[in-house]
Amino acid sequence: MSAESWNERGPVADSAAAMPEVTDRATWQAQLDDLLVREKAHTREGDAIAVARRRLPMVEVDPSIPVTGEHGQVPLAEVFEGRRQLIVYYHMWHAGKPARDQCPGCTFCNGQVSDLSYLHSRDVTFATFSEGPYEESARYREFMGYPMPWYSVEPSRDALLAGRWFGMIVCYLRDGDRVFETYWATGRATEAMGSVYGLLDMTVYGRQETFEESPPGWPQFWRNTGEQWRINGRPTPQWERLAAGHCDDLGVSAS
């Protein structure tokens, strides 16, 4: 880890941080062209994996499983909002805890889903299913400014999870009155929810996380223990929401 300093936004690599060697443009472009061959192969493999994903079989689920939203309890089928497909992010929740203690990873994932219109144009609804009580977790949605429909799955978690856990993406398909689960993923697959990591991966210093294989002297401030999504005791984006005047009161004790 290189020398570091901190400001209100977190750690900052200082002048002691190592940098790539400097070369002429022709040499640089030649090496970039070599890398582009690998990048294109990676893209084509991703396309091939998506083909295989679209051809997976599916499993039927009960369309009447209840979830609780803005207008009270509704069946799973209603979450589709009349569309054919549904993507759900299962948001971990620490019941009775204040906003600063809520899951930074789920905050990171949900916070990158901002414009739903492109999904809607493909007949896809995106929604979040919170592990916690509706009133409490919906206040978090309001504080963070999330645009997606928000539901609590407290009474139905076992039926929906089917032995899995929160912090996952699940895709559903509706055929009339029937509902099917077509795909699910968790872990680093949830990076598909946003552009942050993809953009950081294009930069010299990358994600600045300790799992990355980087040259000696490259800044690596963040351990992959959940702290990579926190600054000064809070999920990182909460600081900007507070600075903009948004209230983080979830109606729970801070103790």
Side-chain angles (χ1 to χ4, degrees):
M1 182 181 294
S2 71
E4 62 181 84
S5 59
W6 287 73
N7 61 23
E8 69 279 2
R9 297 185 303 275
V12 178
D14 62 22
S15 58
M19 297 186 296
E21 65 178 75
V22 178
T23 188
D24 61 90
R25 179 165 290 275
T27 301
W28 172 76
Q29 187 63 53
Q31 293 189 35
L32 193 60
D33 289 344
D34 288 341
L35 181 62
L36 182 60
V37 174
R38 296 176 60 190
E39 289 179 334
K40 285 183 175 294
H42 178 72
T43 298
R44 287 192 291 270
E45 178 59 16
D47 290 342
I49 291 171
V51 169
R53 188 182 296 119
R54 290 194 293 271
R55 284 160 173 74
L56 286 171
M58 57 188 183
V59 61
E60 190 162 7
V61 298
D62 183 353
S64 68
I65 294 174
V67 297
T68 302
E70 182 180 2
H71 302 295
Q73 195 171 90
V74 298
L76 175 62
E78 195 167 313
V79 179
F80 284 77
E81 298 181 341
R83 300 184 180 91
R84 187 79 189 277
Q85 299 183 86
L86 170 67
I87 301 172
V88 171
Y89 181 72
Y90 282 73
H91 194 292
M92 186 183 301
W93 189 257
H94 304 302
K97 297 292 185 180
R100 67 169 180 261
D101 293 331
Q102 294 305 324
C103 178
C106 292
T107 301
F108 173 78
C109 289
N110 256 337
Q112 296 178 83
V113 181
S114 56
D115 190 341
L116 304 177
S117 61
Y118 292 101
L119 292 173
H120 293 170
S121 73
R122 268 64 171 182
D123 205 21
V124 177
T125 294
F126 183 95
T128 293
F129 283 2
S130 172
E131 180 181 10
Y134 177 76
E135 293 297 333
E136 187 178 304
S137 63
R139 290 192 188 101
Y140 191 72
R141 174 209 179 196
E142 182 178 359
F143 166 49
M144 297 306 302
Y146 297 151
M148 72 284 291
W150 190 276
Y151 298 88
S152 167
V153 296
E154 260 194 323
S156 306
R157 53 177 294 163
D158 291 342
L160 289 165
L161 291 176
R164 295 165 297 186
W165 50 91
F166 285 85
M168 67 172 176
I169 299 171
V170 179
C171 297
Y172 299 94
L173 177 69
R174 184 177 61 84
D175 183 26
D177 295 330
R178 301 174 73 187
V179 172
F180 303 88
E181 186 176 330
T182 64
Y183 180 74
W184 78 278
T186 189
R188 289 189 60 185
T190 59
E191 292 176 11
M193 294 176 67
S195 60
V196 169
Y197 274 149
L199 292 172
L200 286 173
D201 286 344
M202 294 181 181
T203 68
V204 167
Y205 294 141
R207 305 179 186 196
Q208 301 172 47
E209 296 178 6
T210 54
F211 84 94
E212 292 176 289
E213 183 179 336
S214 295
W218 256 234
Q220 290 188 314
F221 300 122
W222 307 102
R223 292 182 300 166
N224 294 88
T225 58
E227 73 174 40
Q228 70 268 37
W229 301 306
R230 285 185 181 273
I231 289 177
N232 297 328
R234 281 183 179 268
T236 303
Q238 289 188 9
W239 291 109
E240 291 192 4
R241 298 295 295 174
L242 288 169
H246 299 283
C247 177
D248 70 344
D249 183 8
L250 305 184
V252 300
S253 171
S255 60

